[in-house]
Amino acid sequence: MDIECDVLIVGTGIAGLYSALNLRDDLNIALISKGDITKTNTYLAQGGIATAKDEHDKPSFIEDTLRAGNYKNDLTAVRVLVDESIENIKKLIELGVDFDKSKDNLLYTREGAHSTNRIVHHKDYTGKEVADSLIEKVLKRKNIKIYKNFYLCDLITQNNRCLGGIFIKESKQLNIFSKFTILATGGIGGLFKNSTNQRILTGDGLSIAVKNNIKLKDIQYIQFHPTAFYESTNERRFLISESVRGEGAHLLNSKGERFVDELLPRDEVSSKIYSEMKKTNSSNVYLSLSHLNSSYIKQRFPKIYSECLKRGIDITKDSIPVAPAQHYFMGGIEVDLYSKTSMENLFAAGEVSCSGVHGENRLASNSLLEGLVFSRRAADYINNLSDKTPLKKVSPKIITDFEMVKRENLKIAIDLIKEKRWDLKDELISY
Ligand code: SIN
């Protein structure tokens, strides 16, 4: 079966949804999700979205982002991220997102490596609030058609130009032809045994890029979040948001002693935790909120409170067992400031992309912001070009063994990570 559209967007996290809403409403958009539309890392985001609070806050937000990234960031991309933060948060509010407020003023929380409180949030499930609001708007737009449970096998290309994508649904091949394609396929957590990510996020964008010689960048930069709930499970690891430490929680070793400044950048806190675990021969450390007011904890962190209670921990009294887990991928498909890749008419936005904005280590709560700023830039770029760009069709390859393609894609992504980070080989799933 063939489908034709102006813009094909693969992925329904913040970058996919927000680019769809920022595209002109006279463009036909096909919005694809690999599983259900809410099976995204955006949906899981707890802490919030970092933003400059005003013009005066911009230089220190830029500096915090660079310092966390160990100054390996692309400075121009960081400036764009910070400069466009306020307008995109306003736009989210216009789209119906209900950030926590006191009277009419936004409440800002703090997370590691931020020199001030600048993170807007909705309790401890900001991602769900943002995704639900955007999905509601997307469903009302007549020009956006959603296709669920579509697996992206490959791109349709000709002479380094992207003409669309080849998908599998229920063992059938579907070819979607488009003038422009935006890859917003998310991260790589599903390739790791221990990750806070949705398990279905297995680096599909990376495999597609490798198969089509699309330029990649900073593949070695993989972030481990310091505080995932420690439990032995093959499932996704439940995250204990950094905002818990931002609001005053303490990290304790097995003797109940503090051993690290909880608000250092993520890579430094994770590394201190690993050393402490090694020193004390423990599988985890602990996070304690018991010195904070218990009704405040329940009202501010209702999701974390209830999820920990399900696991037998009352966070108002008990320390939470935590250990680092894979959380975010700073590298990805190389993009410019308009999210353009090295392939013509192909864009990438969100975690699958790499503009260099995060450097070696992403600053807390900059991921949803990146998804907003750079997916909107892609949409604006496409809005201006669409009328001048014809739809082109070729005969795509015919895929006979779907399971083999899935296995091949998984192998390509795993081998790439192993090649760049041999030290992580035992952390990866096998194929
Ligand atoms: C968290 O709430 O700790 C996660 C936020 C992020 O990944 O920046």
Side-chain angles (χ1 to χ4, degrees):
M1 186 176 122
D2 286 358
I3 296 165
E4 292 178 14
C5 63
D6 294 307
V7 188
L8 165 63
I9 302 173
V10 191
T12 54
I14 195 162
L17 295 168
Y18 197 62
S19 56
L21 289 170
N22 278 289
L23 284 163
R24 286 168 19 195
D25 59 12
D26 61 334
L27 298 179
N28 283 321
I29 300 166
L31 180 59
I32 311 293
S33 66
K34 185 178 183 183
D36 189 72
I37 188 166
T38 58
K39 267 259 181 284
T40 64
N41 279 344
T42 294
Y43 213 79
L44 299 175
Q46 297 180 352
I49 311 182
T51 176
K53 289 186 284 192
D54 50 34
E55 289 302 316
H56 301 295
D57 186 34
K58 287 184 175 176
S60 99
F61 187 13
I62 291 172
E63 179 55 25
D64 289 349
T65 301
L66 295 173
R67 193 161 45 90
N70 298 320
Y71 297 94
K72 300 276 170 57
N73 320 55
D74 181 298
L75 179 59
T76 317
V78 175
R79 288 199 176 120
V80 167
L81 180 86
V82 168
D83 266 340
E84 298 182 8
S85 59
I86 299 174
E87 67 197 60
N88 280 292
I89 295 299
K90 276 194 192 137
K91 173 122 192 175
L92 275 192
I93 295 170
E94 279 161 30
L95 288 167
V97 177
D98 177 25
F99 292 116
D100 289 346
K101 292 193 194 73
S102 163
K103 304 216 171 88
D104 280 340
N105 300 318
L106 286 171
L107 284 173
Y108 297 97
T109 193
R110 183 146 182 204
E111 293 186 10
H114 283 274
S115 52
T116 183
N117 291 31
R118 63 160 77 85
I119 294 154
V120 291
H121 51 91
H122 180 95
K123 300 192 187 295
D124 60 350
Y125 46 93
T126 311
K128 177 179 182 320
E129 168 64 21
V130 170
D132 284 343
S133 307
L134 299 185
I135 289 168
E136 193 188 316
K137 290 286 185 282
V138 160
L139 292 174
K140 286 190 183 142
R141 287 269 297 257
K142 295 207 167 54
N143 65 321
I144 304 175
K145 189 157 171 23
I146 296 172
Y147 299 88
K148 292 184 203 163
N149 301 307
F150 271 46
Y151 174 82
L152 177 65
C153 289
D154 208 344
L155 298 175
I156 307 169
T157 66
Q158 190 182 48
N159 303 330
N160 197 39
R161 173 172 167 185
C162 182
L163 307 178
I166 302 173
F167 297 86
I168 304 168
K169 176 165 178 161
E170 288 159 4
S171 304
K172 286 201 187 69
Q173 176 170 349
L174 298 111
N175 306 314
I176 305 189
F177 291 94
S178 57
K179 295 179 178 178
F180 301 97
T181 298
I182 303 177
L183 289 178
T185 49
I188 59 169
L191 302 176
F192 285 79
K193 293 176 198 156
N194 280 302
S195 171
T196 60
N197 291 188
Q198 300 280 13
R199 297 305 299 161
I200 61 165
L201 297 174
T202 50
D204 300 345
L206 280 190
S207 325
I208 300 288
V210 170
K211 291 204 285 196
N212 290 282
N213 293 318
I214 296 162
K215 274 196 194 155
L216 298 171
K217 187 176 158 81
D218 292 349
I219 301 301
Q220 70 279 22
Y221 295 159
I222 297 170
Q223 183 173 76
F224 284 70
H225 194 289
T227 57
F229 191 100
Y230 176 73
E231 56 192 331
S232 59
T233 169
N234 293 328
E235 300 301 311
R236 167 170 65 78
R237 295 273 304 280
F238 180 67
L239 183 73
I240 310 293
S241 172
E242 192 150 338
S243 54
V244 173
R245 278 175 281 134
E247 301 281 345
H250 293 160
L251 275 166
L252 306 175
N253 63 16
S254 50
K255 294 185 208 137
E257 297 157 345
R258 283 177 82 184
F259 58 92
V260 60
D261 170 357
E262 289 82 1
L263 293 181
L264 285 174
R266 251 174 216 176
D267 55 346
E268 292 183 43
V269 180
S270 288
S271 151
K272 291 266 190 311
I273 293 177
Y274 280 127
S275 309
E276 194 62 31
M277 282 162 43
K278 205 163 163 207
K279 204 158 73 188
T280 55
N281 198 20
S282 321
S283 52
N284 59 278
V285 294
Y286 296 91
L287 190 65
S288 171
L289 296 81
S290 57
H291 54 290
L292 304 178
N293 177 287
S294 75
S295 34
Y296 174 70
I297 294 175
K298 286 188 207 166
Q299 168 261 315
R300 176 68 181 83
F301 300 113
K303 175 88 179 158
I304 295 173
Y305 175 74
S306 68
E307 287 294 325
C308 287
L309 210 53
K310 278 190 213 158
R311 293 162 170 85
I313 301 287
D314 177 348
I315 64 169
T316 64
K317 301 195 214 98
D318 308 324
S319 294
I320 313 167
V322 291
Q326 192 281 340
H327 182 63
Y328 192 79
F329 182 41
M330 277 73 62
I333 299 178
E334 183 173 312
V335 290
D336 68 7
L337 295 175
Y338 297 92
S339 303
K340 284 187 284 156
T341 70
S342 64
M343 178 174 272
E344 216 182 314
N345 296 355
L346 179 71
F347 296 73
E351 195 171 343
V352 69
S353 69
C354 179
S355 63
V357 73
H358 302 305
E360 199 176 19
N361 173 58
R362 175 172 65 74
L363 179 66
S365 286
N366 264 356
S367 57
L368 294 182
L369 179 62
E370 182 208 357
L372 292 172
V373 168
F374 291 99
S375 70
R376 187 173 174 187
R377 288 185 143 244
D380 289 347
Y381 196 91
I382 293 170
N383 285 341
N384 286 329
L385 264 192
S386 186
D387 295 339
K388 296 177 219 140
T389 309
L391 185 83
K392 194 163 182 340
K393 288 180 77 170
V394 292
S395 299
K397 62 182 165 203
I398 296 174
I399 297 183
T400 47
D401 189 339
F402 301 126
E403 287 311 313
M404 195 180 81
V405 174
K406 284 187 186 172
R407 272 198 311 278
E408 256 173 30
N409 285 350
L410 196 63
K411 180 175 177 335
I412 291 171
I414 291 177
D415 287 351
L416 180 68
I417 303 295
K418 267 195 200 153
E419 182 195 320
K420 302 287 177 186
R421 290 294 305 267
W422 186 245
D423 58 314
L424 296 179
K425 67 180 187 320
D426 295 334
E427 309 275 338
L428 292 162
I429 58 167
S430 35
Y431 49 80

